[in-house]
Amino acid sequence: AAAAAPPANPTALLLSLASCYVDPPPQHAARAAEALLASGVPQLLLQRRIGAGERGDADAPAEWSWLLRACCRHRTVLSFCSRVPALLAAIRSSAHLSSRGAERLTW
């Protein structure tokens, strides 16, 4: 069988690769959060979303969704993200989140 083609979008590829940390196999679950933070993916996505301001971009939905999922699955990722002072302003100014009330409320 042919392997699935990788996503053409670099952000989609990054999120796809990092998803193994968000939804790890049971035998790796205990170390997944530490590995996720060590990978730098949450930090990169926070920088991208905070730096985006009010402008939206095509990657915003996937990035916000991935960050939220990672925070919901791993307390240490949530703790890290909650200590970023500019995150609340980024959530409030996100054009993507303002159109998705439930997702914004969850943040």
Side-chain angles (χ1 to χ4, degrees):
N9 177 332
T11 300
L13 178 59
L14 174 69
L15 298 179
S16 176
L17 292 172
S19 68
C20 67
Y21 294 110
V22 177
D23 298 311
Q27 66 270 26
H28 299 293
R31 295 185 310 269
E34 307 305 327
L36 184 55
L37 287 174
S39 76
V41 174
Q43 296 89 327
L44 172 67
L45 296 179
L46 283 170
Q47 285 179 332
R48 287 180 48 82
R49 291 301 93 220
I50 289 168
E54 291 186 24
R55 72 169 167 76
D57 59 50
D59 295 328
E63 290 177 358
W64 278 119
S65 178
W66 190 94
L67 274 170
L68 182 59
R69 203 170 91 226
C71 286
C72 288
R73 303 271 177 154
H74 302 292
R75 184 178 296 267
T76 55
V77 176
L78 174 61
S79 177
F80 173 82
C81 290
S82 68
R83 290 190 310 259
V84 175
L87 180 60
L88 186 56
I91 291 168
R92 288 181 178 151
S93 67
S94 169
H96 165 73
L97 291 177
S98 67
S99 67
R100 289 175 174 70
E103 191 174 347
R104 183 176 182 175
L105 181 63
T106 303
W107 270 109

